[in-house]
Amino acid sequence: MSMQSQFSSTRIVTGAGIAYSVGSEAKAVGMTTVLLLIDPFLAETPAGTAIAAALTAHGLNVVRSTAVEPDPSALTIEALSSWAAQQHIDGIVAVGGGSAIDTAKAVGLLLAHNVPHIAPFYHGGSTTPARMLPLIAIPTTAGTGSEVTFVAVVTEPSTQRKLLIRHPVLTPVVALVDPDLCASMPAALTMATGMDALAHSLECLTSTMSSPMSDTLAITAIRTIVVALPRLIKNGHNPTDRAAMSGAATMAGMAFLSGRLHLGHAVGHALGGAYHVAHGPACVVMMPEIMATVAPARTGAIAQIAGAFGCRAADLPAAIKRFLIDCGAPNLRTLLAPHHPSPTELITLFRGEERLINLSPVVPTDAQWESMIQAAW
Ligand code: NAD
């Protein structure tokens, strides 16, 4: 059982329209000049304009940037930080998906330390993060949970690997979880981001670090996702399902902070870094096989998850596979097209994610990896 008890020290405020209270929230945490880091898509929407107006209406100076790219690279983060260092900001408001929020965390870290390079802060690196500028996170996708986690995922251009910065100072002070901001997501993005939340919940329930609290959050998220996600993919305008998915994604984020992740994200990070495929689908692409592999070591968790999927424990891998197909998630071959890596190449990539793999209750042998790859192909 985990010795780590942190779930979130973020103040979470949730509800339709809550994003527009950002001005009073920013004032309340002492911000005066704010970097509004906003995803380029959201920046062009009425919601983006209204969030900027809500900040200026409270007398805050706003410096705006849309320098957010999917799977943010260290180079982009460092360029943004060097520009922001000239703007005398004392807080950041991030509006967007995990990429915007993680960019904000990394920039807030560089500015607070007054250094140009992010690499020393990578998990296991030479510098331990000590501080970050205060961050208000406003998620516009329902998947990563980054609004409550103390993790930032950065793509390192020299190796094309997705690397983690992981330290409690990266925790946002406030998360404004407003499901209305997710309503503009097309079905494919709803699916892709929802899959990330599903992966978080399934992995942390079955990891070696799970605990009663993370289990409770994760199983609640799974029960919600199983019902709401397929409906939302078919009809993105259902506010009840949008609210359910936003809540599930934030709960799954709180759960995996403590319960941690393992093989699904090892696969997801390896494929995302090497082939730039969408994060959520990459994390679940081998999930039926992963659940089958860990089942003997985590029978209680597997039984609980099977209950959420409405099947017997022995049928869980097949039920998850059916769920992925129903939601339109790609299989491994489709996800990687036009690339056609050999199992050996994939296993080598996966093995690079040792830190995540070691949190799995079963560490697959090469033979197990190979048969999992074949089944998922
Ligand atoms: P994203 O932030 O990369 O955004 C994906 C695309 O969706 C972008 O093109 C963006 O413009 C668009 N978009 C965002 N919100 C939209 C909306 N409401 N309507 C229409 N389009 C919208 O996607 P994401 O899945 O939220 O984030 C993925 C990143 O988060 C990855 O880098 C992943 O590794 C990271 N991540 C971080 C954590 C963490 O705890 N920090 C956890 C999981 C994943």
Side-chain angles (χ1 to χ4, degrees):
M1 186 178 295
S2 168
M3 299 300 291
Q4 186 185 2
S5 60
Q6 173 154 348
F7 284 82
S8 175
S9 57
T10 306
R11 197 165 72 76
I12 305 163
V13 197
T14 182
I18 201 71
Y20 309 112
S21 66
V22 64
S24 56
E25 295 289 350
K27 284 288 262 199
V29 297
M31 296 181 184
T32 59
T33 299
V34 173
L35 170 61
L36 173 60
L37 181 61
I38 182 161
D39 180 280
F41 174 86
L42 266 298
E44 300 305 320
T45 64
T49 313
I51 287 170
L55 287 165
T56 48
H58 277 78
L60 290 134
N61 302 314
V62 179
V63 178
R64 202 186 79 133
S65 169
T66 58
V68 177
E69 63 186 358
D71 301 325
S73 83
L75 288 178
T76 304
I77 287 164
E78 289 168 1
L80 174 59
S81 168
S82 125
W83 170 81
Q86 313 303 317
Q87 313 298 324
H88 309 293
I89 61 169
D90 53 20
I92 306 181
V93 171
V95 183
S99 296
I101 298 171
D102 286 5
T103 300
K105 290 176 181 176
V107 167
L109 189 66
L110 290 177
L111 291 176
H113 287 257
N114 196 21
V115 293
H117 296 302
I118 202 76
F121 293 109
Y122 292 142
H123 198 43
S126 60
T127 309
T128 304
R131 54 198 167 273
M132 181 185 79
L133 287 191
L135 169 63
I136 297 179
I138 306 183
T140 66
T141 61
T144 71
S146 182
E147 65 276 9
V148 291
T149 74
F150 52 68
V151 175
V153 185
V154 176
T155 301
E156 175 53 38
S158 57
T159 54
Q160 283 306 304
R161 283 188 63 200
K162 292 179 85 166
L163 298 175
L164 293 192
I165 310 169
R166 188 176 196 281
H167 192 278
V169 299
L170 269 69
T171 311
V173 279
V174 180
L176 300 178
V177 182
D178 183 341
D180 277 2
L181 295 184
C182 296
S184 52
M185 284 201 288
L189 188 59
T190 297
M191 181 278 286
T193 51
M195 289 301 161
D196 195 15
L198 179 64
H200 292 157
S201 321
L202 292 172
E203 287 174 66
C204 89
L205 248 171
T206 52
S207 91
T208 55
M209 302 283 283
S210 75
S211 69
M213 274 180 71
S214 62
D215 289 355
T216 303
L217 288 161
I219 194 68
T220 306
I222 294 170
R223 288 185 187 126
T224 305
I225 293 166
V226 165
V227 174
L229 185 59
R231 286 205 305 237
L232 205 46
I233 291 167
K234 290 191 184 77
N235 172 17
H237 298 292
N238 182 328
T240 308
D241 288 335
R242 278 276 171 226
M245 276 308 298
S246 288
T250 302
M251 272 190 274
M254 290 167 71
F256 90 77
L257 254 187
S258 169
R260 311 287 289 274
L261 305 171
H262 56 89
L263 300 180
H265 272 66
V267 169
H269 283 189
L271 299 180
Y275 303 105
H276 300 285
V277 290
H279 176 73
C283 291
V284 294
V285 73
M286 290 175 58
M287 198 57 84
E289 294 75 23
I290 289 169
M291 288 296 121
T293 303
V294 302
R298 299 291 278 117
T299 50
I302 294 291
Q304 266 193 306
I305 299 167
F309 276 86
C311 68
R312 294 180 312 140
D315 298 329
L316 180 62
I320 295 177
K321 190 155 259 178
R322 225 174 12 255
F323 180 80
L324 299 183
I325 292 169
D326 287 350
C327 288
N331 64 12
L332 188 55
R333 184 196 344 217
T334 312
L335 183 76
L336 296 187
H339 307 283
H340 203 296
S342 68
T344 312
E345 285 171 300
L346 288 177
I347 293 168
T348 306
L349 278 179
F350 298 161
R351 289 234 170 272
E353 304 296 330
E354 196 184 12
R355 214 183 289 274
L356 282 161
I357 290 174
N358 287 340
L359 293 168
S360 170
V362 175
V363 174
T365 61
D366 282 1
Q368 278 174 308
W369 273 124
E370 184 156 354
S371 64
M372 288 159 74
I373 291 166
Q374 270 155 6
W377 192 253

